[in-house]
Amino acid sequence: MDNLDQLEQQSVYIFREAFRHFERLCMLWSIGKDSTVLLWLARKAFFGHVPFPLVHIDTSYKLPEMITYRDKLALEYKLTMIVGQNADAIKAGRTFPATQHLPDGHPDKVSRLECCGLLKKDALANTLNGVWPRQKLNLKTGRYELDPDRAPYHGVIVGARADEEGSRSKERYFSPRDKNSAWDIGEQPPEFWNQFKTDFAPGTHVRIHPLLDWTELHIWEYIKRENIPTVSLYYDQGSGTRYRSLGCGPCQAPIQSQAKNVDQIIDELKSGKLKNIAERSGRLQDGKHGLEELRREGYM
Amino acid sequence: MTVPARDQMSIVIVGHVDYGKSTVVGRLFADTGSLPEGKLEAVRKECARTGKPFEYAFLLDALSDEQDQGITIDTARSFFKTAKRDYIIIDAPGHIEFLKNMISGAARAEAAVLVIDAKEGIRENSRRHGYLLSMLGVRKIVVAVNKMDLVNRDKAHFRKIESDFRSFLKSIGSPDPEQFIPISAITGENLSNPSDQMLWYRGPTLLSALDQFEKAPAKGDRPLRFPVQAIYKFAAEGDDRRIVAGRIESGRVKVGDRVVFSPSNKSSVIKNIEAFNAPTRHTIEAGWSTGFTLTEEIYITRGELMTHETAPPLVSTRFRANMIWLGKKPFEKNKDYKLKIHTQAVSVRLIEINKLVDATSSGEQGTRPFVGRHDVADVTVETRQPIAFDDISQGEATARFVVVDGYDIAGGGIIIAAEKDNQENFREEARLRDFHWIKGGVTAAERGRRFGHPAALVMFVGKTGVGKHRLARAVEKTLFESGRAAYMLDGTNVLLGVDSDMIWAQSTQQELVRRFAEVAHLLLDAGLLVVSTTNAIGLADVASVQALIPDFPVLTVEIRGEGGISSADMHLTGQETELDSAQKVTDLLTSRQILQ
């Protein structure tokens, strides 16, 4: 059993514990490499099935290829696909891209971080608790329809990795969130061996992290080993650049790289060329403390 | 071909606050070149700006919370690499208030570095940490005696700490640490580079001591332990597999093996090893989260332990354990808690505190009626239903448990030994009987499909004359008329026949219970819903009946005029109409998923 096998076994175990203990369980799927590996691991855990809904928060600024890829896989794997959105903010133009042209200090100007708060954090919290409407993919027609199910989710599986960025290294496999989706880092219950926090007070929810021990390199090695389909944005299409981490179009920058396929990305990661560049360095909203503040308030 | 993934080991760094753990980790990061570019410079700049002297510890302070308080509050996980392998480093907090975070980190570590302050010597928290590492099962320990620069790098001083701590660890039965290493994290001596000022020390540096640790060998050669995590039948797209899912904690199993499940004593044979996007296997061993289909479909539930018949686990309601309590409220007697062990969850009570271990000295402390926060104790507990487990010398995952108080895990520990309860002999009888039971040509699942329900025993209990017989008859009749295979077993009938050889003066209650339960067991094996009523067998005997019938649900209905709390599954006053009583019992059977 090699290292990837070991990581896979632990992730599968966590998935099954989550499925057992949370009747209202969902998984966040950002369409990125990590949560797509997560989706694959769910199919490993449940012998080819995905017995809970996948939730995607659509900021409306995701690159079109990501949305196409999302729906293609959802139809192919027969997923229960739920999409949530802060439709009001998008409609009212309360976003960073829509107010970018305004001068600094203008009262209507929305910063990158505020935009993340509105389109991701708020949309996520209100989609999970069912306060805002959810759209569900009709697998027969391929269209999204209003989901009559508005019950809150109590267990939320996410693809956070401990090595990705400082605050994520503080997560447990099962991390509780309070009624306001807030994360009390100092008062997390203990996690002994493989006994996780599976009891929760009404109104609270638990974030479940099957990928916590994986690194960026593990993710790519696993994608290669299992032949998992990924979006082409991760690969150099001839411009000499590629995306290393996927977010919203206006707030992400590609990295200089000529890696054109999974093998070349693995080689690049192993060569140490990217060793000194943080994985999320292309994510322009990541400030010193900003991201952690957002995470405490419920951002993923 | 894929190059095999690099070897990885998770290590935990523990030690009292201010002993320099973060500095050790910061140094290891910097020395192995594992920091992102610019991080070191950024921290140096930040220190210059705020007028603080630069420390390697600042590198780890990713969270504002920590920087404010100046302590590491959680098991921050990060990664560093040596030529030999990648390390996941879990920097566990040393402050006593954050003990639960230290435990969360240490419980998943393969090896530990315990940091002791050379100047402070061995303190309470170092002892507690030593004890906890031992209890949590961390076997590879290196002790780093830090701040040697503050004690003139004195050899005798170091040796004294080493011998004192070794004898403490020995006194609590902890494994002997591989190495004691004198270090100075602040000056970088004996971390990755040997110190040129402590030439009296000829052992390895901290980094090479870590690299010398070998990964624990796979547990494939030990007896099979497979806790049932779930039974899946997804039924989507024509998938009719019924898969018993879980992780093999030790041993191996192959297609065609006969396996037994404890505590239910049921058995079957492995038909297939199931997996998604993986080649077919005929054998599988410890470490794999897998799933099996069985040749004979049997009713089993999560929490049962699948093993080979030759090496079954312990089954009891009582065991003795070493544990640590972390809850804000103490662990008390006469209160129900939830025990979680492997995949089993069951109601539990504290029966006895055998010993409270005091970390302030190596001795023991006087008794107290409860186990308080941060106490380490030797306790006896009792579960409501029998569970399958091992003692710590025989297993790991099957000997480790946690106790949940309210919504949170409040304590955890390891089982030292099973203790005798009153049902032990019956349980042994049932195990022998069930493992050698000759099965007919019709399986329980087939009977269940024909009858529309599995078998179960509903026992009416209560004093003579409260109306048990009348209500049991009504329940039998109602069930039968709604198409169920029901049978009323009156205890009198067992007395008249099976018990007719018993000489009353010499008979024991135990033998009465045994015969009654064995008769019921035969009827249950025939797939029936058995509704029993007897004056001779009361609530006090239910545990014995359950011990003899581990493979079928046993539900109790107590009939008692007066109020108060009943330990039965259902309580009737005897004033209810027959129809009403029958409906209530039907509802109970539905809530336990025996009836649809």
Side-chain angles (χ1 to χ4, degrees):
Chain A
M1 182 179 271
D2 69 16
N3 195 16
L4 276 184
D5 289 329
Q6 284 174 21
L7 289 166
E8 182 190 70
Q9 302 322 303
Q10 180 69 356
S11 301
V12 164
Y13 190 83
I14 292 168
F15 260 111
R16 291 177 180 167
E17 286 302 284
F19 184 53
R20 160 74 191 192
H21 290 284
F22 296 92
E23 211 171 304
R24 295 290 306 174
L25 180 69
C26 71
M27 187 183 118
L28 299 189
W29 187 24
S30 74
I31 332 295
K33 62 187 189 308
D34 300 317
S35 56
T36 302
V37 164
L38 200 62
L39 173 58
W40 193 265
L41 287 165
R43 299 174 82 209
K44 285 267 179 187
F46 305 109
F47 304 95
H49 303 273
V50 184
F52 39 74
L54 267 71
V55 172
H56 179 229
I57 298 305
D58 187 356
T59 60
S60 81
Y61 292 105
K62 299 284 173 193
L63 298 170
E65 194 202 322
M66 292 171 72
I67 304 298
T68 312
Y69 167 87
R70 174 190 77 192
D71 292 347
K72 181 174 165 281
L73 244 58
L75 291 169
E76 191 182 322
Y77 295 170
K78 308 238 178 324
L79 304 175
T80 305
M81 186 72 229
I82 304 290
V83 174
Q85 191 170 61
N86 188 343
D88 290 348
I90 293 167
K91 206 169 154 199
R94 279 188 298 126
T95 70
F96 163 74
T99 60
Q100 206 174 353
H101 60 280
L102 296 173
D104 282 345
H106 189 285
D108 291 339
K109 193 169 169 100
V110 177
S111 73
R112 288 183 199 272
L113 211 57
E114 286 162 351
C115 186
C116 273
L118 288 164
L119 299 194
K120 288 171 155 182
K121 187 196 77 165
D122 291 353
L124 177 62
N126 287 295
T127 302
L128 293 181
N129 65 21
V131 171
W132 291 358
R134 299 167 177 159
Q135 301 287 325
K136 182 177 170 182
L137 181 64
N138 181 326
L139 294 178
K140 290 200 181 91
T141 62
R143 291 179 181 282
Y144 281 86
E145 296 163 358
L146 200 61
D147 185 7
D149 175 12
R150 297 282 285 269
Y153 295 110
H154 297 134
V156 183
I157 302 166
V158 298
R161 299 188 340 256
D163 78 321
E164 214 174 340
E165 167 270 315
S167 68
R168 294 189 182 195
S169 69
K170 305 280 175 174
E171 294 278 12
R172 303 254 207 267
Y173 292 129
F174 285 58
S175 296
R177 296 294 193 271
D178 73 9
K179 287 184 179 175
N180 305 314
S181 289
W183 180 32
D184 186 347
I185 300 174
E187 264 308 320
Q188 298 191 83
E191 204 162 68
F192 281 84
W193 308 300
N194 282 309
Q195 300 294 352
F196 309 121
K197 178 172 172 67
T198 50
D199 299 274
F200 54 96
T204 62
H205 76 267
V206 175
R207 296 270 172 103
I208 299 140
H209 303 110
L211 289 183
L212 212 52
D213 296 335
W214 295 57
T215 63
E216 186 183 8
L217 181 59
H218 292 138
I219 292 287
W220 284 110
E221 285 176 334
Y222 192 69
I223 286 171
K224 176 179 162 61
R225 190 181 91 174
E226 298 285 327
N227 201 14
I228 302 171
T230 45
V231 272
S232 65
L233 298 164
Y234 284 117
Y235 312 104
D236 172 27
Q237 313 277 347
S239 60
T241 64
R242 67 177 192 89
Y243 290 100
R244 190 173 172 200
S245 172
L246 292 179
C248 293
C251 288
Q252 66 179 355
I255 57 162
Q256 298 297 316
S257 161
Q258 284 161 24
K260 291 183 173 57
N261 52 44
V262 180
D263 283 311
Q264 290 176 9
I265 289 179
I266 292 171
D267 287 344
E268 186 175 70
L269 287 169
K270 282 188 172 165
S271 74
K273 185 175 160 245
L274 299 177
K275 186 177 95 182
N276 297 327
I277 306 163
E279 185 179 345
R280 289 175 62 97
S281 60
R283 303 288 282 272
L284 305 175
Q285 75 272 33
D286 290 15
K288 187 172 183 305
H289 287 314
L291 203 60
E292 189 197 324
E293 297 292 325
L294 273 182
R295 281 180 68 69
R296 280 174 197 242
E297 292 165 16
Y299 181 71
M300 82 140 284
Chain B
M1 278 301 292
T2 321
V3 182
R6 272 169 62 83
D7 189 16
Q8 189 174 345
M9 181 178 271
S10 55
I11 58 170
V12 65
I13 318 266
V14 295
H16 191 58
V17 67
D18 293 335
Y19 283 10
K21 289 186 319 294
S22 295
T23 312
V24 170
V25 179
R27 267 282 179 186
L28 290 176
F29 267 66
D31 290 357
T32 54
S34 306
L35 292 167
E37 191 166 83
K39 182 103 174 184
L40 196 61
E41 291 68 34
V43 175
R44 280 189 199 280
K45 230 186 267 173
E46 178 77 7
C47 287
R49 195 179 65 77
T50 53
K52 277 193 285 193
F54 169 78
E55 285 182 27
Y56 280 93
F58 296 153
L59 285 168
L60 296 180
D61 295 339
L63 289 177
S64 50
D65 211 78
E66 277 184 9
Q67 286 164 341
D68 295 346
Q69 296 181 30
I71 42 178
T72 313
I73 61 162
D74 208 335
T75 52
R77 266 179 277 196
S78 25
F79 298 77
F80 76 88
K81 297 173 200 302
T82 66
K84 166 128 180 167
R85 59 167 77 101
D86 296 349
Y87 288 93
I88 302 182
I89 189 159
I90 309 172
D91 179 34
H95 199 281
I96 181 87
E97 281 305 305
F98 300 121
L99 198 61
K100 58 189 166 57
N101 297 334
M102 177 263 167
I103 283 167
S104 305
R108 64 169 73 98
E110 294 166 83
V113 178
L114 202 156
V115 182
I116 291 181
D117 187 317
K119 200 150 177 254
E120 295 279 324
I122 299 157
R123 291 292 180 91
E124 171 187 351
N125 226 359
S126 303
R127 289 197 196 92
R128 185 182 279 110
H129 286 149
Y131 188 92
L132 287 175
L133 288 176
S134 160
M135 196 190 82
L136 290 165
V138 185
R139 295 275 173 269
K140 303 179 182 71
I141 302 174
V142 43
V143 179
V145 181
N146 191 23
K147 306 193 186 178
M148 285 301 291
D149 53 309
L150 299 184
V151 293
N152 300 319
R153 299 178 174 81
D154 182 50
K155 179 183 176 182
H157 189 93
F158 169 76
R159 293 292 178 213
K160 174 87 172 65
I161 288 176
E162 174 174 2
S163 76
D164 286 356
F165 204 60
R166 276 192 200 276
S167 49
F168 166 74
L169 292 175
K170 203 176 165 196
S171 76
I172 58 165
S174 177
D176 206 27
E178 304 264 334
Q179 294 285 346
F180 275 72
I181 305 174
I183 64 165
S184 168
I186 210 122
T187 58
E189 290 167 71
N190 285 338
L191 278 120
S192 50
N193 299 311
S195 168
D196 54 7
Q197 298 184 73
M198 287 185 275
L199 295 172
W200 49 265
Y201 174 76
R202 293 164 198 278
T205 61
L206 182 57
L207 209 55
S208 53
L210 290 175
D211 274 352
Q212 279 167 25
F213 282 135
E214 292 302 327
K215 298 278 284 187
K219 297 175 190 123
D221 295 330
R222 309 233 309 249
L224 173 67
R225 290 294 181 263
F226 177 81
V228 175
Q229 201 177 3
I231 315 289
Y232 295 132
K233 189 162 182 181
F234 292 107
E237 293 171 65
D239 183 355
D240 60 358
R241 290 174 298 176
R242 187 168 175 277
I243 301 173
V244 182
R247 175 159 61 189
I248 304 177
E249 299 293 354
S250 67
R252 60 168 55 87
V253 65
K254 57 184 192 301
V255 171
D257 277 5
R258 180 166 186 262
V259 288
V260 296
F261 295 82
S262 300
S264 79
N265 296 345
K266 291 186 183 174
S267 60
S268 193
V269 172
I270 302 288
K271 185 178 174 187
N272 275 317
I273 297 168
E274 299 291 338
F276 167 75
N277 200 42
T280 311
R281 285 169 163 276
H282 295 283
T283 177
I284 193 158
E285 64 283 328
W288 291 93
S289 287
T290 179
F292 306 100
T293 47
L294 303 173
T295 53
E296 184 196 332
E297 235 178 78
I298 49 173
Y299 291 111
I300 41 167
T301 53
R302 176 182 161 102
E304 297 215 43
L305 205 49
M306 184 179 96
T307 67
H308 288 115
E309 187 189 326
T310 45
L314 300 168
V315 173
S316 184
T317 58
R318 267 181 188 249
F319 60 79
R320 186 169 175 163
N322 282 342
M323 70 176 305
I324 169 111
W325 190 255
L326 301 158
K328 282 182 184 156
K329 285 182 284 180
F331 187 35
E332 298 171 305
K333 293 181 188 177
N334 301 317
K335 191 184 158 193
D336 288 323
Y337 296 88
K338 181 156 92 180
L339 178 98
K340 288 167 68 172
I341 176 164
H342 54 85
T343 55
Q344 180 67 277
V346 60
S347 182
V348 71
R349 283 186 173 209
L350 173 62
I351 298 297
E352 205 60 64
I353 300 170
N354 306 311
K355 194 164 79 179
L356 276 174
V357 180
D358 183 9
T360 52
S361 71
S362 61
E364 294 156 26
Q365 195 169 286
T367 48
R368 247 191 280 132
F370 60 85
V371 184
R373 194 174 205 195
H374 301 144
D375 276 349
V376 172
D378 171 337
V379 297
T380 298
V381 301
E382 186 174 88
T383 58
R384 202 178 163 122
Q385 288 90 33
I387 54 168
F389 58 90
D390 288 297
D391 67 49
I392 195 70
S393 69
Q394 298 299 312
E396 282 178 6
T398 46
R400 295 165 165 175
F401 65 91
V402 297
V403 175
V404 179
D405 184 10
Y407 298 116
D408 286 334
I409 292 172
I414 51 176
I415 297 177
I416 302 303
E419 291 212 335
K420 282 191 192 299
D421 58 14
N422 296 328
Q423 294 81 46
E424 206 174 51
N425 295 337
F426 284 164
R427 212 171 279 128
E428 203 43 52
E429 172 181 329
R431 184 179 263 181
L432 211 64
R433 177 197 69 202
D434 291 343
F435 284 179
H436 298 97
W437 193 262
I438 314 279
K439 290 178 184 177
V442 182
T443 68
E446 284 165 341
R447 277 182 217 281
R449 274 193 290 274
R450 166 72 59 86
F451 296 153
H453 56 79
L457 172 63
V458 181
M459 289 177 71
F460 277 81
V461 292
K463 288 182 190 144
T464 310
V466 289
K468 295 189 298 292
H469 174 80
R470 183 175 60 88
L471 295 182
R473 267 171 67 104
V475 171
E476 180 203 31
K477 189 86 176 152
T478 306
L479 288 170
F480 182 78
E481 289 191 335
S482 58
R484 275 75 179 237
Y487 178 77
M488 190 192 76
L489 173 66
D490 195 306
T492 307
N493 298 340
V494 182
L495 287 174
L496 288 169
V498 173
D499 295 342
S500 69
D501 64 320
M502 287 174 78
I503 298 159
W504 290 110
Q506 294 168 19
S507 69
T508 61
Q509 178 69 9
Q510 247 207 339
E511 184 58 15
L512 270 181
V513 171
R514 193 188 75 76
R515 294 188 182 195
F516 172 83
E518 288 292 0
V519 170
H521 186 257
L522 285 167
L523 295 169
L524 292 165
D525 193 51
L528 304 176
L529 287 175
V530 179
V531 186
S532 78
T533 164
T534 153
N535 286 326
I537 294 168
L539 264 184
D541 299 311
V542 169
S544 296
V545 174
Q546 276 175 329
L548 284 160
I549 308 178
D551 39 351
F552 297 97
V554 176
L555 305 177
T556 48
V557 181
E558 187 182 20
I559 305 182
R560 192 176 41 156
E562 61 269 43
I565 298 164
S566 171
S567 64
D569 294 294
M570 200 169 94
H571 174 216
L572 296 175
T573 62
Q575 302 303 311
E576 296 87 351
T577 64
E578 290 173 8
L579 204 67
D580 196 20
S581 306
Q583 186 59 49
K584 285 196 161 131
V585 171
T586 307
D587 291 347
L588 175 67
L589 288 167
T590 309
S591 76
R592 301 295 169 95
Q593 291 167 342
I594 292 159
L595 295 181
Q596 298 293 319

